Amino acid sequence: MTTARVVSLSELGSADVIKLIDKELPSPAKGEVQIRQTAIGFNFIDVYQRSGVYPLDLPTGLGHEAVGVVKALGEGVSNFKIGDRVMYINAGIGAYASARNVPADKLVPVPDQISDEVAAAVFFKAMTAQYLVQKTYQVKAGDIVLVHAAAGGVGQILAGWAKALGAFVVGTVGSPTKFAAAKEAGCDAVIDYSKPNWVEEFIKATGGKKANVVYDSVAKDTFLGSLDCTAPFGTVALFGGASGPAPEIQPEILNKKGCLFLTRPSVFPHNATPALLQENARAVFDAIAKGYVKVQIGAKFSLEQAADVHRAAEGRKVSGAIIMIP
Ligand SMILES: NC(=O)c1ccc[n+]([C@@H]2O[C@H](COP(=O)([O-])OP(=O)(O)OC[C@H]3O[C@@H](n4cnc5c(N)ncnc54)[C@H](OP(=O)(O)O)[C@@H]3O)[C@@H](O)[C@H]2O)c1
């Protein structure tokens, strides 16, 4: 038996519900691998789940993404050996932990040239950007792309990847302090969506054109404006709700705004099978190798500070990805 330090929630609510406990970890079961975790990725979905926006059964762990070293193998595991560096984004909730057992078919080997910290900062977010630029809408040279929250974890990667594909990228940020980070990430123009005229600012920034695709993870504060920023037959990819759920609409509005395509995608179905997970991870590693995906670790905390991580994310204090070290 190993003792692991894990985040455990006995209620949902503010960041104060995040508690750390010691938990006995059994030997890995058939098909599982035991990992000593070295870096954990924070993702905004952790806030939705902790707060009850996406309800969880209690008691529960928290977190979807971590990197670590294989310490023990369950029966029948042949594709990993002790000492391998591995990472995951969807091995069951509970990534906020110093060690855990996960199904081997949910793991991806970490390439030698990528450090544990960078892997934890990038994997979930780049896997999200990957399906958004390659599948939801295939970004191509000459496209106009609008990325909301472009200084955030996913936002920076998405903006940089779309720029590398040859698009003209406009990023939005919630305050002027984040302009530089969005620009550095690859945005051709950055606008402040806390200003009431941000839609006009967007159209001015593109020289009067609208977007082929709008990537909207902010929702409540941005969604209706996003429809106004989208060119006829363009795509609105609503992939999160950092400011709250999007307002309800009648489908007819999509006709009036120019026969728009609206989708609400998620990284999990895009990686639902082991084959898809490995294939998409290869696309991400390829993009990193080409320099399409740049990694900005915005803040590093200890696992003990998990509640502070959530406070920082909800306080919109950090640009780039947040990681925790167990
Ligand atoms: N569907 C999927 O597959 C998928 C996968 C991964 C992530 N996501 C979504 O992508 C978004 C970014 O995720 P992330 O983990 O990289 O987080 P993040 O971007 O680091 O943080 C969220 C950002 O949203 C903006 N925001 C706007 N209103 C906010 C509010 N009321 N409270 C907090 N933040 C607010 C903030 O930027 P400003 O301060 O500049 O406004 C903040 O930086 C999230 O909405 C997440 O749910 C979706």
Side-chain angles (χ1 to χ4, degrees), residues 53 58 73 93 99 143 146 220:
V53 173
L58 296 170
L73 303 172
I93 199 145
D143 278 347
L146 174 57
K220 182 166 174 268

Side-chain angles (χ1 to χ4, degrees), residues 86-101:
V86 292
M87 58 190 176
Y88 62 84
I89 58 168
N90 187 19
I93 199 145
Y96 289 18
S98 61
R100 71 183 296 212
N101 296 332

Side-chain angles (χ1 to χ4, degrees), residues 160-248:
W161 201 332
K163 177 69 188 163
L165 293 170
F168 182 85
V169 181
V170 180
T172 64
V173 291
S175 70
T177 55
K178 295 187 175 176
F179 268 68
K183 201 91 190 168
E184 180 74 13
C187 293
D188 294 285
V190 183
I191 55 179
D192 181 347
Y193 62 3
S194 68
K195 300 244 172 76
N197 66 338
W198 68 264
V199 171
E200 290 80 51
E201 289 291 312
F202 164 75
I203 290 168
K204 204 158 85 185
T206 61
K209 294 185 179 149
K210 292 191 176 186
N212 301 86
V213 61
V214 177
Y215 293 116
D216 189 343
S217 62
V218 175
K220 182 166 174 268
D221 293 348
T222 48
F223 177 63
L224 295 178
S226 292
L227 300 182
D228 287 328
C229 292
T230 311
F233 311 108
T235 298
V236 180
L238 182 71
F239 70 103
S243 66
E248 287 181 17

Side-chain angles (χ1 to χ4, degrees), residues 84-138:
D84 281 352
R85 294 169 64 235
V86 292
M87 58 190 176
Y88 62 84
I89 58 168
N90 187 19
I93 199 145
Y96 289 18
S98 61
R100 71 183 296 212
N101 296 332
V102 299
D105 63 3
K106 300 287 186 183
L107 294 172
V108 174
V110 183
D112 288 344
Q113 62 278 17
I114 300 179
S115 72
D116 291 9
E117 292 191 5
V118 165
V122 80
F123 194 38
F124 191 98
K125 296 167 188 72
M127 291 290 271
T128 301
Q130 184 267 333
Y131 81 74
L132 287 169
V133 301
Q134 294 187 339
K135 295 187 176 173
T136 302
Y137 177 88
Q138 291 182 3

